[in-house]
Amino acid sequence: QVQLVESGGGLVQAGGSLRLSCAASGSIRSNMPMGWYRQAPGKQRELVTDITSGRTNYADSVKGRFTISRDSARNTVYLQMNSLKPEDTAVYYCSYRTPLVTYWGKGTLVTVSS
């Protein structure tokens, strides 16, 4: 069984930075994708970024501002968020994807004030 626990969310002013962490436990394979999704109020959950064997993928809306990294030895993935905008306000979810199932954390709230 895989468990994902996010941390690092909070309230920040526009232009500020936050760093999210996701600690994974259980049977984690380093060559399987881990990533971050977000869901804003009234909107669908969307992919923010993911990382697979060092290869990264970003949503256009966060390119140049957000950076994902992964510490495979610690089974932890990070999301460094810079130049935050009010439209980045959402619950951020960590994910771990296998061919059979995608695991999710419970989420951490990020609120960006204008």
Side-chain angles (χ1 to χ4, degrees), residues 28-30 32-34 51 68-72 76-77 96:
I28 302 295
R29 297 183 61 178
S30 61
M32 294 296 174
M34 291 192 73
I51 184 167
I68 189 171
S69 59
R70 183 171 181 174
D71 184 340
S72 294
T76 301
V77 65
Y96 172 70

Side-chain angles (χ1 to χ4, degrees), residues 8-14 16-18 20 84 89 108-114:
L11 174 64
V12 64
Q13 288 188 332
S17 299
L18 280 176
L20 306 184
L84 282 161
T89 295
T108 185
L109 177 62
V110 172
T111 303
V112 185
S113 63
S114 57

Side-chain angles (χ1 to χ4, degrees), residues 31-83:
N31 62 336
M32 294 296 174
M34 291 192 73
W36 291 93
Y37 286 71
R38 67 186 181 187
Q39 187 167 16
K43 295 188 177 182
Q44 290 187 330
R45 190 174 298 189
E46 63 176 0
L47 174 68
V48 176
T49 177
D50 60 20
I51 184 167
T52 308
S53 298
R55 297 187 304 273
T56 57
N57 175 49
Y58 294 93
D60 287 343
S61 59
V62 306
K63 282 180 181 177
R65 300 188 298 122
F66 290 12
T67 303
I68 189 171
S69 59
R70 183 171 181 174
D71 184 340
S72 294
R74 298 176 184 268
N75 284 337
T76 301
V77 65
Y78 304 94
L79 181 63
Q80 178 66 44
M81 304 186 294
N82 298 328
S83 302

